[in-house]
Amino acid sequence: ADDWILEDYNSYTQQDGHYADNAANDEDGASSDATEGHDDEDEIYEGEYQGVPAFNDGKPRDGQVALGQPVSDSLKSHKELENERQADEEELAQQYELILQECGHGRFQWQLYFVLGLALMSDGVEVFVVGFVLPSAETDMCVPNSGAGWLGSIVYLGMMFGAFFWGGLSDKVGRKQCLLISMSVNGFFAFLSSFVQGYSMFLFCRMVSGFGIGGAVPIVFSYFAEVLAREKRGEHLSWLCMFWMIGGIYASAMAWAIIPHYGWSFSMGSAYQFHSWRVFVVVCALPCVSAVVALTFMPESPRFYLEMGKHDEAWMVLKHIHDTNMRARGEPERVFTVNRIKIPKQLDELVEMQNESANPAVKVLFKIKSELRGVRCCFFFLHLIYFYNEQLYYGLSVWFPDVIKHLQADEYASRVKIYNNERIEDFTFNFTLENQIHRNGVFLNDRFIGMKFKAVTFIDSSFLNCYFEDVSSVGSFFKNCTFVDSFFYNTDIDDAKLTNSRVINSSFHHNKTGCQMTFDDDYSAYWVYFVNFLGTLAVLPGNIVSALLMDKIGRLSMLGGSMVLSGISCFFLWFGTSESMMIFMLCLYNGLSISAWNSLDVVTTELYPTDRRGTGFGFCNAMCKLAAVLGNLIFGSLVGITKAIPILLASSVLVGGGLIGLRLPDTRANVLM
């Protein structure tokens, strides 16, 4: 049926501190099932009103006369329909801002803040889990060097596709629904990944887990922004960003507390091993599970409902927000005075109506083109800043710890003990040999029982009639060695550790299966967890400053200033020659750069219109993950080679990105379109 254009919409007027719709008091005002049978005076007395008000959807009802001539939407051009929808959107945006002001900021927003915070925390945990379990998982699953590093890249690829998919879907089926599904996918496959034994299956589970968590950031910020009034939006979106930091702190603390305790491991035969790093993976899935449970008790975004033309559902949610906040304030008698809310013309349905005879493939292409046009329009600079910022952030996140590891490795190697031309006969080794090099040695009738080789290398040495039992070797190799009449029982010495060595009349029995893991083999692991903990904790001051100043000095000033200052801090890495100096600069960089991230999140939320907000935010987040993969590859290849290139690259791009950020439109005064 054709719609009729009515001009009987009455705007808000302020009466005694309340926003009231004058149409509610009109003699010909709309009625609903909840008010049927009441007289006019009953309808005016809003204290007794409990039902959903009827909404005039643009169709004339009995007793109403349309102003002007009826015009069929099917006869209008697409441009005319777009103009009408744009006018409706602008009117709705202004009205919605007034409604949020009437609802107030209180208990409901804080409840949603903590629920969505758990979801955002899960995203932070997912990023850190990759780095923490990578060494243990690859060692436990005996991953060859050719497969090393795939875990980090494949998780980011999953997050990249997930961000765009779930962000776009949230614009079609709802913020809450999409977030529930995406978080459930993440939680299920994260939990499953802790039990699988094969590396390829583990990669698959973590990739799907990353695909699920990819929807967290674009949906969480879109969802929360749509229940915040303009004067609260910048500050409280910045407070929400703190949960990403909390996720990093949680992951670092759990890694330090759980992964070193290999005594927590258990096995079922030689085929199934469950080491403590798997316990860590399970624990890191708990914030996601908690978010899913809490999210089931929250309503859908009312702004999304209005965008989809669901007036009654939106009104009920807004009334719930209002009543929740008023009860918390001690004003339960205060009445929600909104009777009617503007709904924009549903242009997508009208387009389909005009193209009923069109080819289905043409419709699909048209919709894809429409989505991409909505994403890319006027946002080139925004995407560029996202790409550069993420590439440098994750690139430096990889580069910083590896530089520290190289400094530690150099110091460790400087303490190596070298033994030349030694001859040892009839001796029992039942203790650990660590950080040693043995050249041209002869071991005759020796016994190696219940001991460990740790970073020990034997070069051109001979083992004659030797006995090896219950021996573990980590980072140890036998190069150009000769074994004659020797016996190996329950050891992990295999062909991979016997480099160019000869084995004559010797036997191997009950070799240890899998790759042996003991935490004390990694002398720097505790230190790496602690450094990550400090680096994440350093974000706290920047989060507080950005939240307090976001609405005062503006998003663009925060964005540009943060990127320029973090670029300058990167330059001073050139002068870092010690571990303590590098750690200090890592903390300084993290503290200065977080304000740029918070500003980007706020600006992105406010720039995109409601019907494209999830899609646009998802596209930006997908760019982030692509940049993270490239950052890992670029900066990872520079580790141990030179400091000059990564330092100059990071400094120049950060400063340039900060200047580009000043070209973005100022969104501080924007209402949510």
Side-chain angles (χ1 to χ4, degrees), residues 216-235:
V217 172
I219 300 177
V220 160
F221 283 101
S222 299
Y223 194 171
F224 195 48
E226 291 168 357
V227 297
L228 293 173
R230 177 173 49 195
E231 65 271 10
K232 298 284 187 180
R233 194 177 304 129
E235 176 185 352

Side-chain angles (χ1 to χ4, degrees), residues 126-406:
E126 186 76 18
V127 171
F128 282 90
V129 163
V130 174
F132 290 149
V133 306
L134 188 60
S136 299
E138 291 179 343
T139 301
D140 189 18
M141 298 177 180
C142 305
V143 179
N145 291 334
S146 59
W150 268 102
L151 178 58
S153 298
I154 204 166
V155 169
Y156 286 131
L157 288 175
M159 296 174 76
M160 179 183 73
F161 289 108
F164 190 74
F165 176 81
W166 297 112
L169 194 63
S170 70
D171 287 333
K172 303 300 180 185
V173 303
R175 316 303 193 205
K176 173 187 172 181
Q177 190 73 10
C178 274
L179 189 57
L180 267 175
I181 298 173
S182 66
M183 296 298 292
S184 298
V185 170
N186 169 251
F188 176 77
F189 281 93
F191 183 79
L192 182 62
S193 69
S194 67
F195 294 95
V196 299
Q197 292 291 295
Y199 189 59
S200 58
M201 189 62 185
F202 182 76
L203 285 177
F204 173 77
C205 289
R206 295 313 302 186
M207 180 186 68
V208 180
S209 174
F211 176 79
I213 200 63
V217 172
I219 300 177
V220 160
F221 283 101
S222 299
Y223 194 171
F224 195 48
E226 291 168 357
V227 297
L228 293 173
R230 177 173 49 195
E231 65 271 10
K232 298 284 187 180
R233 194 177 304 129
E235 176 185 352
H236 287 273
L237 285 176
S238 298
W239 287 125
L240 183 64
C241 293
M242 291 187 66
F243 277 93
W244 200 93
M245 174 204 71
I246 294 173
I249 293 176
Y250 175 82
S252 301
M254 291 300 100
W256 180 82
I258 295 174
I259 295 180
H261 299 286
Y262 282 94
W264 295 4
S265 306
F266 68 88
S267 61
M268 299 173 62
S270 61
Y272 190 86
Q273 304 286 332
F274 195 92
H275 291 294
S276 57
W277 68 266
R278 297 179 182 272
V279 179
F280 167 70
V281 172
V282 172
V283 171
C284 285
L286 295 181
C288 178
V289 175
S290 302
V292 170
V293 173
L295 194 60
T296 57
F297 297 97
M298 303 307 298
E300 179 58 83
S301 163
R303 187 66 176 85
F304 169 78
Y305 274 146
L306 292 174
E307 199 66 30
M308 294 295 104
K310 298 180 179 181
H311 173 273
D312 292 352
E313 292 88 340
W315 189 90
M316 289 295 293
V317 175
L318 288 168
K319 184 177 186 300
H320 170 69
I321 296 173
H322 174 275
D323 293 348
T324 300
N325 291 340
M326 293 306 111
R327 284 194 299 268
R329 289 183 184 179
E331 303 177 16
E333 72 284 353
R334 188 157 184 172
V335 178
F336 185 52
T337 61
V338 175
N339 283 338
R340 237 181 296 171
I341 308 173
K342 184 70 176 179
I343 289 182
K345 187 180 294 293
Q346 300 303 298
L347 186 59
D348 289 342
E349 296 178 4
L350 296 175
V351 169
E352 290 178 1
M353 182 176 62
Q354 294 182 48
N355 294 277
E356 286 180 354
S357 59
N359 188 296
V362 175
K363 291 184 180 180
V364 172
L365 291 175
F366 180 83
K367 285 195 172 185
I368 293 176
K369 181 180 178 181
S370 176
E371 294 288 342
L372 292 177
R373 182 174 64 248
V375 167
R376 74 169 188 266
C377 183
C378 302
F379 299 111
F380 172 76
F381 286 146
L382 181 65
H383 298 156
L384 193 65
I385 294 172
Y386 262 102
F387 186 84
Y388 284 154
N389 216 18
E390 187 85 359
Q391 184 181 22
L392 293 175
Y393 179 82
Y394 283 103
L396 289 173
S397 296
V398 171
W399 187 70
F400 271 124
D402 279 347
V403 167
I404 293 174
K405 282 185 177 181
H406 275 75

